[in-house]
Amino acid sequence: MKRVLITGATSGIGFELTKTLCSKGHMVVATGRNSDKLAELCKLTGCYTIQADLSDSQQPLELFTEAVEKLGGLDVLINNAGMNSRKCGIDEFTVEEFDHQYAVNLRAPALLSREALKVMKLAKSGQIINVLSTVAKRSNETMSVYTAMKQGLAGFSAILMKEAQPHGIKVTSLFPGGTDTNFREVDRPQYMHPKSVAETIALLLELPQDVVMHEMVFRPPVEIE
């Protein structure tokens, strides 16, 4: 049994991941903005929940403190929350959109990783999983801001791995491909189901102690690059 904090748990991958990890006997704190979905998760799984808005610079710190109190410590942090306000050309994005994506996609997971590192260093063990996107491996037009934030988090996560691993802390950067979630404007049944992605992520908690997955790229069969 591991004590796990999951962000972005009120939809898509995070919602399914909470259900999957709870079914495996882990203690989970699920966080997100949607109080109704958090209540649903709590009813379905018995997990702890914390409502929080990661675009606010203080709320990630507050939710982390509360989560550690609820769990009595922390073994696993899964930075799953992410958002893309819209697709648009570089000559069209607004300062507000840029700042919002920076806050949710880069600043919040960096702050939570920083706090988790402090706790896990004392325990000389732990696991931090950063959910990125294959968009960070590509250069898609109309996705400049989202790509910049995910690539920024990928760089941060790579350095986090080097600083954390000597202290017995595992860090993994995940790059999932197309997933059929409400993140997309239309249904994409040919993409991975969120439950499939959740089950894949859950496997990382079961790896042998002497194995560290630094990076993992996985895609639906319809994608070959």
Side-chain angles (χ1 to χ4, degrees), residues 144-190:
S144 60
V145 178
Y146 182 66
T147 300
M149 301 310 161
K150 287 297 187 180
Q151 287 185 348
L153 182 57
F156 177 91
S157 190
I159 295 170
L160 175 67
M161 178 272 292
K162 290 186 175 182
E163 294 188 8
Q165 197 161 298
H167 300 279
I169 304 163
K170 298 182 178 184
V171 176
T172 304
S173 299
L174 290 184
F175 298 87
T179 308
D180 189 18
T181 70
N182 57 7
F183 192 84
R184 303 182 181 279
E185 296 176 356
V186 296
D187 291 340
R188 295 290 182 91
Q190 73 273 33

Side-chain angles (χ1 to χ4, degrees), residues 2-6 21 27-29 71 74 76 78 205:
K2 294 186 178 181
R3 299 163 296 181
V4 186
L5 169 59
I6 303 174
L21 293 184
M27 288 179 62
V28 176
V29 168
L71 294 170
L74 184 68
V76 184
I78 303 177
L205 276 62

